[in-house]
Amino acid sequence: MPIGSAMATAPRHVSPVRNPLRHRPSSPLNPLAARLHSAAHIHATTATAITTVVSTRTHLSNLDRLLQKKQPVAPPPPPQPAPDPVVEDDRDPRDSPFSFSVLHRTGSCLLNALNLPSALFLPSSSTQQAEEISPRSLTHLRRLLSNSNRQSPRGIIAPRWHQYHGAADWDGLLDPLDHDLRRELIRYGEFAQATYHAFHSNPTAAPPDRPRAVVLPDRSYRVTRNLFATASVELPPWVDTVAPWMMTATPTSWVGYVAVCDNEREIQRMGRRDIVIALRGTSTCLEWAENFRTWLVPIDEEEQEAEEEESSEGEQTEKPRGTVPKVECGFRSLFKTAGPDAPSLSSMVAEEVRRLMEQYAGEELSITVVGHSLGAALAVLVADELAASVSPHVPTAVFSFGGPRVGNQAFADRVERRAVKVLRVVNAHDLVTRVPCVLPARADGYAHVGRELRVDNRMSPYLRPDADAACCHDLEAYLHLVDGFMATNCPFRSDAKRSLARLLSQQGTNVKELYVSKARDLRLRPAGSFARCNSGQLPSPSSTY
């Protein structure tokens, strides 16, 4: 073929002269060619990427305009069968007492009810979170909200029982709280709780008519005598027109009991045979009337008679202030007054303790007086008299919960001189522990006795921070706080074992709504002993003064 014809068939836009660097293979000996080739490749790739991004944006814009068009309405789903009815209390737990309603819930709802983190504070609503909760946390929550108390194991305190009984004024045992002392405090507090259950189950029984059935929280003890207190206050005549039911109230009421440990194994654990005197708080209208007689009177009868004679004769003998032991008039009246069918509380306690000491002569003995509210005040009077007249060589201790002031500083000094050890458990927000009021202008005013263990209901993760005065003074709330107390300004004890069921049944309006609802979801019911504790004259038997 001729060369001219071949050149005629070639396209005119193609230059016959080509760039020698374009198709020349790169070589390590020719770095300039390699750089030019790489730059050309990057330029082509970038142009392709920009074109792809523009194309993608265009497609997304078209898709967005398409989705904004009106879509056809889907037909409604077929009706589902109605769920099983749920039977529960319609009332707000903040406005009404707690009620253990039986809820007919499904298994998934029960799982959601238990869906709490390990801290037990955060509510949850997803199945995934429920699966993440350990079985140990779920078991702990069930146990706290159940009716069965899982108490801490009792340690052997025989070598140190004198210290736990206050021989050294509980030095080194209160802050932080010794775990064995905590267990003993709760145990003795339950003895006082038993007095409320026994009284409110049959509040109208007369003293000599029938013996009182007392269910003790500790089977190692047995009741040896029932105790009664008589009010000497006379109500004014106008009360008959305002509240005639108060005029028919009997002045003498069952107030507590004396019990003694009879179990040899428990005696070995404690290191001695223990005699317990348990006293309840205010539960009758006449006892309330006695509480308001807040002026100080001499505790001894001789001093009382001498003071009455001086006032009747008009003599103004000057005596040094603060030298005569005095106590509140109403407390002394309930302690010293004898009824028409029963001796005074003072005589009954002294007689029974003397009998038990003769029966168990030669053994290691201790006397423990425990009381709540009014019972705490009477417990101090009982211990003071026993230490002087009945058992000067037997250690006597008082464990009081929510107790008011009892007497003046001279009386407090006398109690300490008689080697009576008093440990007062005080809630920081309990108003009863601040009465009767102290008048700064008077040198002979009221003073507390003994050591103080201060707890705070606002440290509990279960109680509302704005709990009312009744909750702050409630005995079950006190035991709950002692069970969770570790030390001052420390968080609530995470391994506290005391059940919340009784606290829910008596102070449900003061328990956080989370735990009220969880208890309902767990279908809890109050046990028989718990249900009876509100059957007396007052809504909450342990929230009285």
Side-chain angles (χ1 to χ4, degrees), residues 258-294:
V258 179
V260 64
C261 182
D262 263 356
N263 186 282
E264 293 299 328
R265 185 175 180 179
E266 183 68 6
I267 292 174
Q268 293 179 2
R269 184 193 73 85
M270 294 189 299
R272 86 280 189 191
R273 186 185 296 273
D274 189 32
I275 300 173
V276 171
I277 303 166
L279 302 166
R280 62 166 174 79
T282 310
S283 298
T284 69
C285 58
L286 293 180
E287 291 169 358
W288 271 106
E290 291 283 14
N291 288 337
F292 287 102
R293 302 171 69 189
T294 58

Side-chain angles (χ1 to χ4, degrees), residues 4 334 420 468:
L334 291 170
V420 175
D468 56 29

Side-chain angles (χ1 to χ4, degrees), residues 258 275 277 348-358 367 386 390-391:
V258 179
I275 300 173
I277 303 166
M348 283 186 286
V349 173
E351 180 182 348
E352 182 60 20
V353 171
R354 188 178 292 109
R355 185 188 71 82
L356 291 175
M357 292 182 61
E358 294 175 357
I367 298 176
L386 290 179
V390 180
S391 56

Side-chain angles (χ1 to χ4, degrees), residues 12 29 78 110 144 229 252 298 343 352 365 384 455 466 475 514 519:
R12 294 183 178 180
L29 300 178
L110 180 59
L144 284 177
T252 303
E352 182 60 20
L365 298 176
D384 173 69
V455 295
D466 58 343
L475 178 55
L514 170 64

